[in-house]
Amino acid sequence: QVRVVESGGGSVQAGGSLNLSCELFRYTLRNDCMGWFRRGPGQARESVVVIKSDGTARYADPVKGRFTASLDNAKNTLYLHMNDLKAEDTGMYYCALDFGCSHGVGYAAVLNYNSEYWGEGTLVTISS
């Protein structure tokens, strides 16, 4: 069974940086999409980014220019480099897989990915 496993969360002060990783187990990326979404305290899920296996990424406006997603297809791993972090970036960050980009390539598509292919999340806490 395919597994999605995030790592790299932590606590930093506003203005700092964090790097998240998401590794796929028992699956080899092909023409697929992956994405990150997050859920802040008491808030609904919010899309962050969707990236195609060719490296093309689309970002939600709140993170544009601060976050960068990248894929290492050889390692079946998705990364999220987060810079200039703000208090409102606090939340659980989840990685997800979409076979064949069946839900499209827009940044919001990640919210519709099959929950069977979500990770369990990694916590990011930004203090102001």
Side-chain angles (χ1 to χ4, degrees):
Q1 183 176 354
V2 177
R3 287 183 59 215
V4 180
V5 181
E6 305 96 337
S7 61
S11 298
V12 296
Q13 290 189 326
S17 300
L18 275 175
N19 295 319
L20 306 183
S21 298
C22 171
E23 186 173 2
L24 300 179
F25 293 87
R26 300 190 187 93
Y27 186 74
T28 300
L29 280 169
R30 300 174 182 86
N31 297 315
D32 304 304
C33 284
M34 294 186 70
W36 291 95
F37 65 92
R38 64 188 182 185
R39 188 193 295 266
Q43 298 180 9
R45 291 184 302 135
E46 178 186 31
S47 58
V48 174
V49 61
V50 165
I51 185 168
K52 293 174 60 178
S53 54
D54 66 0
T56 305
R58 290 180 171 81
Y59 300 89
D61 287 344
V63 307
K64 219 175 266 187
R66 300 188 297 123
F67 290 13
T68 302
S70 60
L71 263 178
D72 186 332
N73 288 291
K75 294 183 179 180
N76 293 308
T77 301
L78 170 66
Y79 303 97
L80 185 66
H81 307 283
M82 306 187 293
N83 297 316
D84 189 23
L85 284 160
K86 305 176 181 180
E88 51 264 41
D89 294 318
T90 293
M92 285 293 289
Y93 281 69
Y94 299 87
C95 175
L97 168 66
D98 184 30
F99 299 110
C101 300
S102 64
H103 291 87
V105 297
Y107 67 83
V110 64
L111 297 180
N112 297 318
Y113 288 6
N114 186 335
S115 61
E116 186 173 350
Y117 303 109
W118 298 359
E120 294 187 353
T122 186
L123 181 61
V124 171
T125 303
I126 311 302
S127 56
S128 55

